[in-house]
């Protein structure tokens, strides 16, 4: 299944249905990106792969004089973002693939931002070249992406419960880990017309379950979205039942005071258009 088909179909539907859980799990990263916007001067923002709109809406709420436009490839996620932002006059959302999306007349963003939405481009150099071309001269770029699986427990700890893949995954294939290598990120951005590229490591807690039954909450999270859900969908019913039991046992071992959380590691990437 291609990236486009995936996000336009079931993946987009699942993430849209789970936007409250995903807002919670990414909360620490969202706050870090919002702090990062203070290092830029801007009047218009393009949120790349905006998902259900949390980051776009947070920027729009805090900066009433700034125009914020979020773009995502999933129709359902765009619908959710629009529903959530219907009272914000300075926030809007459009359906499109950011790697070739054409902005409306008069909109040339001077800040491009993304929370883990840029690792899925089949042609990343082409995508970031296009984004540079549609942005204002000297525009800033700020995004987050996963560092290596070794510092992201949702891939190592939870992934260890799954059968090993038949073939090792391509580390540069479009997907969550495509930008884990900082040298590759620098090469892509420099080749695409961006300069002053910097990467800063950022560690945060990814909350996957909380409340009176945090374990069930976390199990539902992993069963609905992300790589674990994808792997479960390919299992036989018997294997899926057995895996759910292993997963619940593991999650129960990680619950502390009604919260199930995992350590996560991201790159905070900044650059400027040449």
């Amino acid at each position: 299944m291609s990236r486009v088909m995936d996000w336009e179909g079931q993946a987009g539907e699942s993430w849209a249905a789970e936007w409250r859980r995903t807002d919670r799990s990414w909360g620490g990263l969202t706050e870090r990106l919002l702090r990062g916007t203070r290092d830029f001067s801007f009047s218009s923002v393009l949120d790349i792969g905006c998902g259900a709109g949390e980051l776009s809406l947070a920027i729009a709420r805090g900066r009433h004089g700034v125009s914020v436009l979020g773009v995502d490839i999933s129709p359902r996620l765009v619908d959710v973002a629009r529903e959530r932002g219907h009272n914000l006059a300075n926030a809007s959302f459009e359906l499109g693939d950011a790697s070739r999306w054409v902005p409306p007349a008069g909109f040339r963003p001077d800040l491009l931002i993304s929370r883990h939405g840029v690792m899925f481009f089949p042609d990343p150099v082409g995508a970031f070249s296009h984004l540079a071309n549609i942005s204002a001269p000297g525009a800033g770029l700020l995004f987050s992406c996963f560092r290596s699986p070794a510092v992201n427990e949702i891939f190592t700890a939870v992934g260890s419960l799954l059968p090993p893949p038949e073939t090792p995954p391509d580390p540069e294939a479009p997907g969550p880990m495509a930008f884990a290598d900082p040298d590759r990120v620098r090469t892509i951005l420099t080749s695409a017309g961006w300069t002053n590229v910097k990467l800063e490591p950022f560690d945060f807690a990814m909350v996957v379950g909380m409340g009176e039954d945090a374990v069930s909450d976390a199990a539902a999270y992993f069963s609905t979205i992300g790589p674990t859900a994808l792997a479960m969908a390919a299992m036989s019913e018997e294997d899926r039942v057995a895996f759910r039991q292993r997963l619940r046992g593991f999650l129960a071992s990680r619950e502390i005071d009604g919260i199930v959380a995992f350590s996560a590691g991201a790159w905070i990437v900044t650059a400027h258009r040449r």
Side-chain angles (χ1 to χ4, degrees):
M1 179 177 292
S2 74
R3 177 184 65 95
V4 173
M5 291 174 61
D6 189 27
W7 285 107
E8 284 186 334
Q10 185 56 49
E13 292 284 340
S14 298
W15 282 76
E18 293 292 326
W19 68 263
R20 291 174 179 83
R21 283 194 176 106
T22 55
D23 279 7
R24 180 186 65 193
S25 66
W26 298 106
L29 185 57
T30 300
E31 289 299 321
R32 174 61 183 84
L33 289 169
L34 290 174
R35 291 199 305 272
T37 64
R38 300 170 190 166
D39 297 329
F40 296 87
S41 177
F42 56 92
S43 60
S44 56
V45 179
L46 174 64
D47 184 359
I48 305 160
C50 65
E54 183 191 20
L55 183 58
S56 294
L57 298 174
I59 295 171
R61 282 192 294 265
R63 296 174 181 260
H64 291 168
V66 168
S67 174
V68 183
L69 197 161
V71 174
D72 200 276
I73 203 168
S74 164
R76 185 63 189 122
L77 282 168
V78 170
D79 287 346
V80 170
R82 287 171 174 165
E83 291 166 10
R84 297 176 68 188
H86 72 278
N87 284 329
L88 279 171
N90 62 327
S92 60
F93 299 92
E94 289 195 6
L95 179 67
D97 181 343
S99 66
R100 55 181 184 267
W101 170 79
V102 178
F107 183 80
R108 295 203 74 185
D110 46 15
L111 177 63
L112 290 77
I113 195 167
S114 182
R115 188 190 68 187
H116 275 47
V118 298
M119 303 98 73
F120 304 92
F121 296 128
D123 175 12
V125 173
F128 278 100
S129 295
H130 173 72
L131 291 168
N133 289 336
I134 66 172
S135 63
L141 176 67
L142 168 64
F143 68 81
S144 65
C145 55
F146 278 122
R147 290 182 0 240
S148 72
V151 295
N152 284 282
E153 287 188 315
I154 60 167
F155 296 103
T156 53
V158 178
S160 67
L161 303 176
L162 292 165
E166 294 183 4
T167 57
D170 178 357
E172 296 187 358
M177 288 294 146
F179 279 16
D181 181 352
D183 291 333
R184 181 171 189 250
V185 174
R186 292 187 188 95
T187 298
I188 288 170
L189 294 180
T190 301
S191 300
W194 299 88
T195 188
N196 195 28
V197 179
K198 298 178 181 177
L199 291 90
E200 175 189 333
F202 177 67
D203 298 317
F204 63 103
M206 182 174 283
V207 177
V208 296
M210 65 188 307
E212 294 183 1
D213 191 353
V215 171
S216 292
D217 189 26
Y221 179 97
F222 282 111
S223 300
T224 307
I225 60 175
T228 302
L230 187 62
M232 290 177 67
M235 295 178 183
S236 67
E237 181 61 27
E238 181 180 357
D239 288 344
R240 192 157 44 243
V241 169
F243 175 77
R244 283 199 181 102
Q245 292 177 339
R246 294 197 303 275
L247 178 64
R248 287 188 62 88
F250 175 72
L251 294 172
S253 74
R254 298 296 299 267
E255 180 185 4
I256 300 175
D257 295 331
I259 295 175
V260 179
F262 293 95
S263 60
W267 292 117
I268 304 298
V269 184
T270 57
H272 287 85
R273 178 189 159 180
R274 287 199 190 104

